[in-house]
Amino acid sequence: MKITIFSQISIDGKLTFGEKASSKELFSLFNDDDMSYIHKFRGQVDGIMVGKNTIQNDNPFLTNRYEENKNPVRIIPTSTMDIPLDSNVLTDNGKTIIVTTEQGADQEKIKIIRDRGKDCLICGTDKVDFMELGKQLEHNYGITSLMVEGGGFLNWHAFSQDVVDEIILMQLPIIIGGASNITLVDGDGFHGLSSTKKYRVIEVQAKENYTLMRYAKAV
């Protein structure tokens, strides 16, 4: 399983203008070619993952709007299953997998989700186990590449469990600031250089509206 963190950030690493704020405002700074790059990358992967906060704040479809029949499987981890049942990913015809935990599994909600033709997996006791999830996605669904367009906490869980192989950042030339604003990686954080996750730079490219930066996991 190859997992790629794919994000649009400010110079100071912010994803939004505040807690519960949508990231859609940042996308107004991109042109059609920029948006095409994002959506066509979705067509290159088997699955796309966002957290439940993104579902609640943006209510996205997570589809590839630039290429027909190249939509990735939507994968939504939520340890407590507090995801609105009227979300687009649960009411349209696309393939969606909700991932939850043993402690957070709500059998009534799972039945509703499955009755709609969506799926639900249980991975982990009290937090989603991404290693186990990767195994289940590969074995049961043939998913071998995953694009993570998550917020700071979802990204933190992926990095803390050491499952991120690649990072692609579209860095906008703006400063947002704010100690409480969501950053690329939030959560508990690492507290020493020896525990950090290390990556190597493989591409830096100046575009008209952003700087493209790609990193691969250091061996």
Side-chain angles (χ1 to χ4, degrees), residues 75-87:
I75 300 159
I76 318 297
T78 166
S79 59
T80 57
M81 291 200 72
D82 52 344
I83 178 173
L85 290 174
D86 60 353
S87 302

Side-chain angles (χ1 to χ4, degrees), residues 20-196:
K20 296 185 178 180
S22 170
S23 61
K24 290 181 179 178
E25 190 171 357
L26 293 181
F27 287 86
S28 66
L29 301 175
F30 292 128
N31 62 29
D32 192 64
D33 287 341
D34 304 333
M35 295 303 297
S36 174
Y37 176 73
I38 297 170
H39 282 263
K40 287 184 177 180
F41 189 85
R42 291 179 179 180
Q44 299 171 21
V45 296
D46 300 321
I48 181 171
M49 177 186 288
V50 302
K52 58 97 175 176
N53 287 337
T54 297
I55 298 298
Q56 291 175 334
N57 296 333
D58 293 352
N59 194 21
F61 285 95
L62 301 176
T63 54
N64 177 358
R65 295 198 294 272
Y66 285 75
E67 300 172 298
E68 291 187 10
N69 302 316
K70 282 194 172 184
N71 293 324
V73 176
R74 288 88 58 98
I75 300 159
I76 318 297
T78 166
S79 59
T80 57
M81 291 200 72
D82 52 344
I83 178 173
L85 290 174
D86 60 353
S87 302
N88 289 323
V89 295
L90 292 178
T91 56
D92 70 0
N93 295 323
K95 178 70 174 177
T96 300
I97 302 172
I98 302 299
V99 185
T100 190
T101 61
E102 294 175 7
Q103 292 184 6
D106 181 330
Q107 296 303 321
E108 182 177 348
K109 219 168 191 180
I110 289 174
K111 183 179 185 306
I112 293 172
I113 290 169
R114 288 177 172 165
D115 285 347
R116 294 181 180 180
K118 313 302 182 185
D119 213 340
C120 191
L121 300 178
I122 297 176
C123 297
T125 304
D126 58 349
K127 66 179 181 180
V128 174
D129 183 333
F130 285 101
M131 292 292 289
E132 174 60 25
L133 173 59
K135 293 176 184 176
Q136 290 198 34
L137 291 176
E138 285 197 55
H139 184 264
N140 298 325
Y141 301 92
I143 295 174
T144 60
S145 56
L146 187 62
M147 175 188 190
V148 180
E149 287 194 274
F153 285 100
L154 174 58
N155 291 345
W156 161 250
H157 286 301
F159 281 115
S160 66
Q161 295 184 42
D162 200 24
V163 298
V164 180
D165 301 292
E166 181 183 36
I167 305 166
I168 299 177
L169 302 178
M170 299 172 73
Q171 186 182 58
L172 291 157
I174 60 172
I175 295 291
I176 294 177
S180 63
N181 284 343
I182 304 298
T183 66
L184 179 66
V185 184
D186 289 322
D188 296 332
F190 301 111
H191 302 288
L193 186 59
S194 62
S195 62
T196 61

